[in-house]
Coordinates of all heavy atoms in Angstrom, one line a residue:
M155 N -9.2 -2.1 -23.6 CA -8.7 -3.5 -23.7 C -9.8 -4.5 -24.2 O -9.5 -5.6 -24.7 CB -8.2 -4.0 -22.3 CG -6.9 -3.4 -22.0 SD -5.6 -4.1 -23.0 CE -4.2 -3.1 -22.5
M156 N -11.1 -4.1 -24.1 CA -12.2 -5.0 -24.4 C -12.2 -5.4 -25.8 O -12.6 -6.5 -26.1 CB -13.5 -4.3 -23.9 CG -14.6 -5.3 -23.7 SD -14.1 -6.7 -22.6 CE -13.8 -5.8 -21.1
P157 N -11.9 -4.5 -26.8 CA -12.0 -5.0 -28.2 C -11.1 -6.3 -28.5 O -11.6 -7.2 -29.1 CB -11.5 -3.8 -29.0 CG -11.8 -2.7 -28.2 CD -11.6 -3.1 -26.8
L158 N -9.9 -6.3 -27.9 CA -9.0 -7.5 -28.1 C -9.6 -8.7 -27.4 O -9.6 -9.8 -27.9 CB -7.6 -7.1 -27.7 CG -6.6 -8.2 -27.8 CD1 -6.5 -8.6 -29.3 CD2 -5.2 -7.8 -27.3
I159 N -10.1 -8.5 -26.1 CA -10.6 -9.5 -25.4 C -11.9 -10.1 -26.0 O -12.0 -11.4 -26.1 CB -11.0 -9.0 -23.9 CG1 -9.7 -8.7 -23.2 CG2 -11.8 -10.1 -23.2 CD1 -10.0 -8.1 -21.8
F160 N -12.8 -9.3 -26.6 CA -14.0 -9.7 -27.2 C -13.6 -10.5 -28.5 O -14.2 -11.6 -28.8 CB -14.9 -8.6 -27.6 CG -16.1 -9.0 -28.2 CD1 -17.2 -9.5 -27.5 CD2 -16.3 -8.9 -29.6 CE1 -18.4 -9.9 -28.2 CE2 -17.4 -9.3 -30.3 CZ -18.5 -9.8 -29.5
Y161 N -12.6 -10.0 -29.3 CA -12.3 -10.7 -30.5 C -11.7 -12.1 -30.2 O -12.1 -13.1 -30.8 CB -11.2 -9.9 -31.2 CG -10.6 -10.6 -32.4 CD1 -11.2 -10.8 -33.6 CD2 -9.3 -11.2 -32.2 CE1 -10.7 -11.5 -34.6 CE2 -8.7 -11.9 -33.3 CZ -9.4 -12.1 -34.5 OH -8.8 -12.8 -35.5
A162 N -10.8 -12.2 -29.2 CA -10.2 -13.5 -28.9 C -11.3 -14.4 -28.3 O -11.3 -15.6 -28.6 CB -9.1 -13.3 -27.9
A163 N -12.2 -13.9 -27.5 CA -13.2 -14.8 -26.9 C -14.2 -15.3 -28.0 O -14.6 -16.4 -28.0 CB -14.0 -14.0 -25.9
L164 N -14.5 -14.4 -29.0 CA -15.4 -14.8 -30.1 C -14.7 -15.9 -30.9 O -15.3 -16.9 -31.3 CB -15.7 -13.6 -30.9 CG -16.6 -13.9 -32.1 CD1 -18.0 -14.3 -31.6 CD2 -16.8 -12.6 -33.0
R165 N -13.4 -15.7 -31.2 CA -12.7 -16.7 -32.0 C -12.6 -18.0 -31.2 O -12.8 -19.1 -31.9 CB -11.3 -16.2 -32.3 CG -11.2 -15.1 -33.4 CD -11.5 -15.7 -34.7 NE -10.8 -16.9 -35.0 CZ -9.5 -17.0 -35.3 NH1 -8.8 -15.9 -35.5 NH2 -8.9 -18.2 -35.5
L166 N -12.3 -18.0 -30.0 CA -12.3 -19.3 -29.2 C -13.6 -19.9 -29.1 O -13.7 -21.2 -29.1 CB -11.7 -19.0 -27.8 CG -10.2 -18.5 -27.7 CD1 -9.9 -18.1 -26.3 CD2 -9.3 -19.7 -28.2
A167 N -14.7 -19.2 -28.9 CA -16.0 -19.7 -28.8 C -16.5 -20.3 -30.2 O -17.4 -21.1 -30.2 CB -17.0 -18.7 -28.3
S168 N -15.9 -19.9 -31.3 CA -16.3 -20.3 -32.6 C -15.5 -21.4 -33.2 O -15.4 -21.5 -34.4 CB -16.4 -19.1 -33.5 OG -17.2 -18.1 -33.0
A169 N -14.9 -22.2 -32.3 CA -14.0 -23.3 -32.8 C -14.9 -24.2 -33.6 O -16.0 -24.5 -33.3 CB -13.4 -24.0 -31.6
D170 N -14.3 -24.8 -34.7 CA -15.0 -25.7 -35.5 C -14.9 -27.1 -34.9 O -13.9 -27.8 -34.9 CB -14.4 -25.7 -36.9 CG -14.6 -24.4 -37.6 OD1 -15.8 -23.9 -37.5 OD2 -13.7 -23.8 -38.2
L171 N -16.0 -27.6 -34.3 CA -16.0 -28.9 -33.7 C -16.4 -30.0 -34.7 O -17.2 -29.7 -35.6 CB -17.1 -28.9 -32.6 CG -16.9 -27.8 -31.5 CD1 -18.0 -27.9 -30.5 CD2 -15.5 -27.9 -30.8
H172 N -15.9 -31.2 -34.5 CA -16.1 -32.3 -35.4 C -17.4 -33.0 -35.0 O -17.4 -34.2 -34.7 CB -14.9 -33.2 -35.5 CG -13.7 -32.5 -36.0 ND1 -13.5 -32.2 -37.3 CD2 -12.6 -32.2 -35.3 CE1 -12.4 -31.6 -37.4 NE2 -11.7 -31.6 -36.3
V173 N -18.5 -32.3 -35.0 CA -19.8 -32.8 -34.7 C -20.8 -32.3 -35.7 O -20.5 -31.4 -36.4 CB -20.3 -32.5 -33.2 CG1 -19.3 -33.1 -32.2 CG2 -20.3 -30.9 -33.1
S174 N -22.0 -32.9 -35.7 CA -23.0 -32.4 -36.7 C -23.5 -31.1 -36.3 O -23.5 -30.7 -35.1 CB -24.2 -33.5 -36.7 OG -24.8 -33.5 -35.5
R175 N -24.0 -30.3 -37.3 CA -24.5 -29.0 -37.0 C -25.7 -29.1 -36.0 O -25.9 -28.3 -35.1 CB -25.0 -28.3 -38.3 CG -23.8 -27.7 -39.0 CD -23.4 -26.4 -38.3 NE -22.5 -25.6 -39.1 CZ -21.2 -25.6 -38.9 NH1 -20.7 -26.3 -37.9 NH2 -20.4 -24.9 -39.7
R176 N -26.6 -30.1 -36.2 CA -27.8 -30.3 -35.4 C -27.4 -30.5 -33.9 O -27.9 -29.9 -33.0 CB -28.6 -31.4 -35.9 CG -29.9 -31.7 -35.1 CD -30.7 -32.8 -35.7 NE -31.1 -32.5 -37.1 CZ -31.7 -33.3 -37.9 NH1 -32.0 -34.5 -37.4 NH2 -32.0 -33.0 -39.1
F177 N -26.4 -31.4 -33.7 CA -25.9 -31.6 -32.3 C -25.3 -30.3 -31.7 O -25.5 -30.0 -30.6 CB -24.9 -32.8 -32.3 CG -24.4 -33.1 -31.0 CD1 -25.1 -33.9 -30.1 CD2 -23.1 -32.7 -30.6 CE1 -24.6 -34.2 -28.8 CE2 -22.6 -33.0 -29.3 CZ -23.4 -33.7 -28.5
D178 N -24.5 -29.6 -32.6 CA -23.9 -28.4 -32.2 C -24.9 -27.4 -31.7 O -24.8 -26.8 -30.6 CB -23.1 -27.8 -33.3 CG -22.1 -26.8 -32.9 OD1 -22.1 -26.3 -31.7 OD2 -21.2 -26.4 -33.7
Y179 N -25.9 -27.1 -32.5 CA -27.0 -26.2 -32.1 C -27.7 -26.6 -30.9 O -28.0 -25.8 -30.0 CB -28.0 -26.0 -33.3 CG -27.5 -25.2 -34.4 CD1 -27.6 -25.7 -35.7 CD2 -26.9 -24.0 -34.2 CE1 -27.2 -24.9 -36.8 CE2 -26.5 -23.2 -35.3 CZ -26.6 -23.7 -36.6 OH -26.2 -22.9 -37.6
T180 N -28.0 -27.9 -30.8 CA -28.8 -28.4 -29.6 C -28.0 -28.1 -28.3 O -28.6 -27.6 -27.3 CB -29.1 -29.9 -29.8 OG1 -29.8 -30.1 -31.0 CG2 -29.9 -30.4 -28.6
V181 N -26.8 -28.5 -28.3 CA -26.0 -28.4 -27.1 C -25.7 -26.9 -26.7 O -25.8 -26.5 -25.6 CB -24.6 -29.1 -27.2 CG1 -23.7 -28.9 -26.0 CG2 -24.9 -30.6 -27.4
T182 N -25.4 -26.1 -27.8 CA -25.2 -24.7 -27.5 C -26.4 -24.0 -27.0 O -26.3 -23.2 -26.0 CB -24.7 -24.0 -28.8 OG1 -23.6 -24.7 -29.4 CG2 -24.3 -22.6 -28.6
I183 N -27.5 -24.2 -27.6 CA -28.8 -23.6 -27.1 C -29.1 -24.1 -25.7 O -29.6 -23.3 -24.8 CB -29.9 -23.8 -28.1 CG1 -29.7 -23.1 -29.4 CG2 -31.3 -23.4 -27.5 CD1 -30.7 -23.4 -30.5
A184 N -28.9 -25.4 -25.4 CA -29.2 -25.9 -24.1 C -28.4 -25.2 -23.0 O -28.8 -25.0 -21.9 CB -28.9 -27.4 -24.1
I185 N -27.1 -24.9 -23.4 CA -26.2 -24.3 -22.4 C -26.6 -22.8 -22.2 O -26.7 -22.3 -21.1 CB -24.7 -24.4 -22.8 CG1 -24.3 -25.9 -22.7 CG2 -23.8 -23.6 -21.9 CD1 -22.9 -26.2 -23.3
A186 N -26.8 -22.1 -23.4 CA -27.0 -20.7 -23.3 C -28.3 -20.3 -22.7 O -28.5 -19.3 -22.1 CB -26.9 -20.1 -24.8
V187 N -29.3 -21.1 -23.0 CA -30.7 -20.8 -22.5 C -31.1 -21.7 -21.4 O -31.7 -21.3 -20.4 CB -31.7 -20.9 -23.7 CG1 -33.1 -20.5 -23.3 CG2 -31.3 -19.9 -24.9
G188 N -30.9 -23.0 -21.6 CA -31.4 -24.0 -20.6 C -30.8 -23.9 -19.3 O -31.4 -24.0 -18.2
L189 N -29.4 -23.7 -19.2 CA -28.7 -23.6 -18.0 C -29.2 -22.5 -17.1 O -29.5 -22.7 -15.9 CB -27.2 -23.6 -18.2 CG -26.3 -23.8 -17.0 CD1 -26.6 -25.2 -16.4 CD2 -24.9 -23.7 -17.4
P190 N -29.3 -21.2 -17.6 CA -29.8 -20.1 -16.7 C -31.2 -20.4 -16.3 O -31.6 -20.1 -15.1 CB -29.6 -18.9 -17.6 CG -28.6 -19.2 -18.6 CD -28.8 -20.7 -18.8
L191 N -32.1 -20.9 -17.2 CA -33.5 -21.1 -16.9 C -33.6 -22.2 -15.8 O -34.5 -22.1 -15.0 CB -34.3 -21.5 -18.1 CG -34.5 -20.3 -19.1 CD1 -35.3 -20.8 -20.3 CD2 -35.2 -19.2 -18.5
S192 N -32.7 -23.2 -15.9 CA -32.7 -24.2 -14.9 C -32.4 -23.7 -13.5 O -33.1 -24.0 -12.5 CB -31.7 -25.3 -15.2 OG -32.1 -25.9 -16.5
F193 N -31.4 -22.8 -13.4 CA -31.1 -22.2 -12.1 C -32.2 -21.3 -11.6 O -32.5 -21.3 -10.4 CB -29.8 -21.4 -12.2 CG -28.6 -22.3 -12.0 CD1 -27.8 -22.6 -13.1 CD2 -28.2 -22.8 -10.8 CE1 -26.7 -23.4 -13.0 CE2 -27.1 -23.6 -10.7 CZ -26.3 -23.9 -11.8
L194 N -32.8 -20.6 -12.5 CA -33.9 -19.7 -12.2 C -35.1 -20.5 -11.7 O -35.7 -20.1 -10.7 CB -34.3 -18.8 -13.4 CG -35.4 -17.8 -13.2 CD1 -35.0 -16.8 -12.1 CD2 -35.7 -17.1 -14.5
G195 N -35.4 -21.6 -12.4 CA -36.5 -22.4 -11.9 C -36.2 -23.0 -10.6 O -37.1 -23.1 -9.7
L196 N -35.0 -23.4 -10.3 CA -34.6 -24.0 -9.1 C -34.7 -23.0 -7.9 O -35.2 -23.4 -6.8 CB -33.2 -24.6 -9.1 CG -32.7 -25.5 -8.0 CD1 -33.6 -26.7 -7.8 CD2 -31.3 -25.9 -8.2

Side-chain angles (χ1 to χ4, degrees):
M155 283 293 172
M156 203 50 65
L158 183 58
I159 292 175
F160 180 79
Y161 170 77
L164 181 64
R165 285 289 315 278
L166 291 172
S168 302
D170 295 314
L171 305 177
H172 298 290
V173 296
S174 67
R175 278 284 189 257
R176 182 176 301 175
F177 180 79
D178 196 348
Y179 283 131
T180 302
V181 173
T182 305
I183 293 174
I185 294 174
V187 181
L189 192 61
L191 289 180
S192 299
F193 277 106
L194 182 61
L196 189 61

